Amino acid sequence: AAAASAAAAASGADSPPDGPTAVIVSVEGRTYPVDVFYSAKPVRDYVASAAECVASLALANGSRGFGYGDVLVFMPGQEEVDRCCRAIKDLVTGGEQQARLVGLPLYGG
């Protein structure tokens, strides 16, 4: 989003009349127990593999529901984050997990 804003400013585009549209989220530091999972072998498409892993975790939780825990996936850039969120949505669309699984992209900056 910052690159798009910088490009718009460089092209002479006007700012939105209501001011900036980005929201900055600050999270207090807390620690929670975390389970870390790694692939046993290299994968061809790490974004698709991560999405499949998230979908399988949602299915594995079964009747406990996805609210049993959250899944945090780290990706190197915004494009990969967006692609992973789309892939997760595509994998669970129409299934029981669709109502319980919500992708919330967060971008570092």
Side-chain angles (χ1 to χ4, degrees):
S5 297
S11 68
D14 292 329
S15 297
D18 297 334
T21 58
V23 176
I24 297 175
V25 177
S26 178
V27 179
E28 293 289 327
R30 294 186 191 175
T31 58
Y32 295 95
V34 174
D35 294 322
V36 179
F37 297 93
Y38 295 97
S39 176
K41 55 187 173 184
V43 295
R44 181 176 211 116
D45 182 348
Y46 65 90
V47 176
S49 181
E52 290 166 6
C53 183
V54 169
S56 69
L57 286 169
L59 292 171
N61 277 319
S63 63
R64 292 188 298 188
F66 205 74
Y68 177 73
D70 298 321
V71 178
L72 183 59
V73 178
F74 288 93
M75 291 287 156
Q78 182 175 343
E79 181 179 328
E80 291 88 350
V81 169
D82 293 340
R83 194 163 61 105
C84 190
C85 285
R86 283 191 306 273
I88 292 167
K89 183 177 179 180
D90 291 345
L91 287 168
V92 298
T93 296
E96 183 180 329
Q97 272 61 36
Q98 182 177 1
R100 294 185 283 186
L101 183 60
V102 178
L104 302 172
L106 295 174
Y107 311 108

